Amino acid sequence: MNDAPLKAAVVGVGWWGRTHVEAYWRSPETELVAVCGRTNRERTEAVARQYGARAYLDIGEMLEHERPDLVSVIAPDGGHYLPYKQVLQSGVNCLVEKPLALDLAEGKELAELARSSGAQCGINFNHRYTTPFQCLAKDIAEGRIGRQYHLLWRFTGGHYPEGLAQPLAHLLYMQCHGFNLLETYGGPIASLGGHASDPRGTGQLTSAVLSLRFASGAVGSFVASVDGDYNNPDIYRLEVMGEGGRGVVGDALGRYEFCARGASRAEVYTPTFFDDEGRQFTRTTDRHIAEFVRALRQDEPVPIPLQEGLRALELGLAAAKAIIESRVVEVGPASGQ
């Protein structure tokens, strides 16, 4: 590709769709050429006018007329399959939102389309682009944590009532971040088992606890719930403990702590007063899109390939199966390995 900005389009004009719209609009590396809504023409045209793009209500028409270099696709959690499939079949570079799908057969089909299309396809596990997680990645890469013993994930934000009837659906759409983060920093998960509760007697298992074994020999704990409240403190945590020390992301945006084994005090990162980007969750997508565009320009693999979405789906479904059948499930390697 030449030095001209890449032509970018966004499918989805809701709140998170506009996060992608603004990221492309702000970037000097991209030119936002089009936005595509589903049914709301008035809102789609309003977003297009605001950001100097053209408005569409049909994905195929947008792809044919605009011929973009890359497309972001954002849709409600239960409606990813059809728009993702249409864009993947077009062979255009794309960045899709998590979860990849809620059905394993659909997820595998989408991953195969991504593989065979010849395009670069990524998935927006944007938590990895917060500063606390980048601090953790650095400490792991530099060997400060060392051989890992135990990992802990806990995310108990409130999304109740769930809008999806699928049992333990929150393990697929909300907690896919946790599965991806645990394997990013701890390596492959080899087996898991767990329990869940239905505190309201509605038939929805809204809180779950998993026990994990990693291929490395480390073990892990996974606490997942939609029964919490986003207004409560300390609803989000990832810990990695090893022979060299322990790294803790105590908030996706606000805090990282490392304590070396035997040290008398911890090193702590928190955003400074003027660190506006570090305080904004939506700006993590800006960071990911910047890396995604850089990979396209340099003809390198995208930073978070779409296949990682399939792996998170496989793990979420395995966890739900283990809970429902009350047994430990061997999950094996990722699909295609």
Side-chain angles (χ1 to χ4, degrees):
M1 295 183 180
N2 58 34
D3 292 334
L6 303 186
K7 295 191 298 180
V10 175
V11 176
V13 293
W15 172 68
W16 199 252
R18 290 183 66 149
T19 297
H20 286 250
V21 166
E22 291 187 356
Y24 291 122
W25 178 73
R26 279 192 292 260
S27 172
E29 299 294 322
T30 55
E31 176 191 1
L32 180 71
V33 296
V35 296
C36 184
R38 291 186 296 161
T39 57
N40 191 326
R41 180 174 295 279
E42 182 178 354
R43 181 169 66 179
T44 304
E45 291 179 346
V47 172
R49 282 194 303 271
Q50 182 178 356
Y51 295 98
R54 287 172 286 279
Y56 294 85
L57 291 182
D58 182 272
I59 295 174
E61 181 184 359
M62 182 195 72
L63 293 172
E64 180 180 356
H65 287 181
E66 300 293 344
R67 301 202 177 274
D69 297 307
L70 69 158
V71 180
S72 276
V73 194
I74 303 93
D77 289 333
H80 286 185
Y81 172 67
L82 290 178
Y84 286 12
K85 180 178 179 179
Q86 187 171 1
V87 173
L88 288 167
Q89 286 176 325
S90 74
V92 177
N93 301 311
C94 63
L95 180 65
V96 303
E97 273 295 337
K98 60 83 192 169
L100 176 61
L102 300 178
D103 175 83
L104 185 57
E106 291 180 353
K108 287 184 174 180
E109 181 183 353
L110 294 174
E112 174 57 25
L113 280 172
R115 188 199 64 78
S116 62
S117 70
Q120 292 273 44
C121 303
I123 187 164
N124 189 29
F125 283 121
N126 60 303
H127 291 215
R128 285 160 54 177
Y129 284 89
T130 70
T131 302
F133 277 112
Q134 292 178 340
C135 290
L136 173 62
K138 184 173 184 290
D139 282 342
I140 291 174
E142 293 179 353
R144 301 183 77 199
I145 290 175
R147 182 167 59 92
Q148 295 178 6
Y149 298 154
H150 179 263
L151 295 92
L152 166 67
W153 165 260
R154 185 181 75 243
F155 189 17
T156 58
H159 277 302
Y160 186 85
E162 291 203 80
L164 302 167
Q166 193 165 352
L168 290 158
H170 60 100
L171 293 179
L172 308 182
Y173 70 86
M174 179 178 173
Q175 302 296 340
C176 63
H177 280 297
F179 290 118
N180 182 258
L181 290 165
L182 285 170
E183 290 211 321
T184 296
Y185 302 118
I189 295 169
S191 65
L192 47 77
H195 301 277
S197 67
D198 174 14
R200 299 171 183 82
T202 61
Q204 289 186 308
L205 298 170
T206 50
S207 286
V209 178
L210 303 172
S211 176
L212 313 174
R213 179 175 58 83
F214 290 81
S216 67
V219 294
S221 305
F222 192 113
V223 181
S225 179
V226 292
D227 294 318
D229 186 338
Y230 276 109
N231 291 322
N232 293 156
D234 199 26
I235 63 167
Y236 185 108
R237 193 174 188 86
L238 181 82
E239 297 185 16
V240 183
M241 184 176 70
E243 61 184 352
R246 183 178 68 163
V248 181
V249 176
D251 181 299
L253 293 166
R255 182 180 176 86
Y256 174 70
E257 175 183 306
F258 173 77
C259 190
R261 187 170 295 275
S264 60
R265 65 186 64 187
E267 304 167 20
V268 177
Y269 159 82
T270 56
T272 59
F273 183 79
F274 290 107
D275 187 7
D276 290 337
E277 182 180 347
R279 295 171 181 269
Q280 296 182 40
F281 185 70
T282 56
R283 297 303 290 270
T284 59
T285 295
D286 292 52
R287 291 181 175 185
H288 188 184
I289 284 175
E291 291 294 318
F292 185 81
V293 170
R294 187 174 299 114
L296 294 183
R297 285 198 174 280
Q298 298 178 1
D299 197 24
E300 296 176 351
V302 295
I304 308 179
L306 182 142
Q307 285 75 12
E308 291 193 29
L310 175 60
R311 177 60 174 174
L313 174 61
E314 291 173 333
L315 290 168
L317 290 169
K321 180 178 181 180
I323 290 169
I324 291 168
E325 296 182 0
S326 297
R327 66 185 183 88
V328 172
V329 174
E330 302 288 334
V331 295
S335 291
Q337 294 185 1

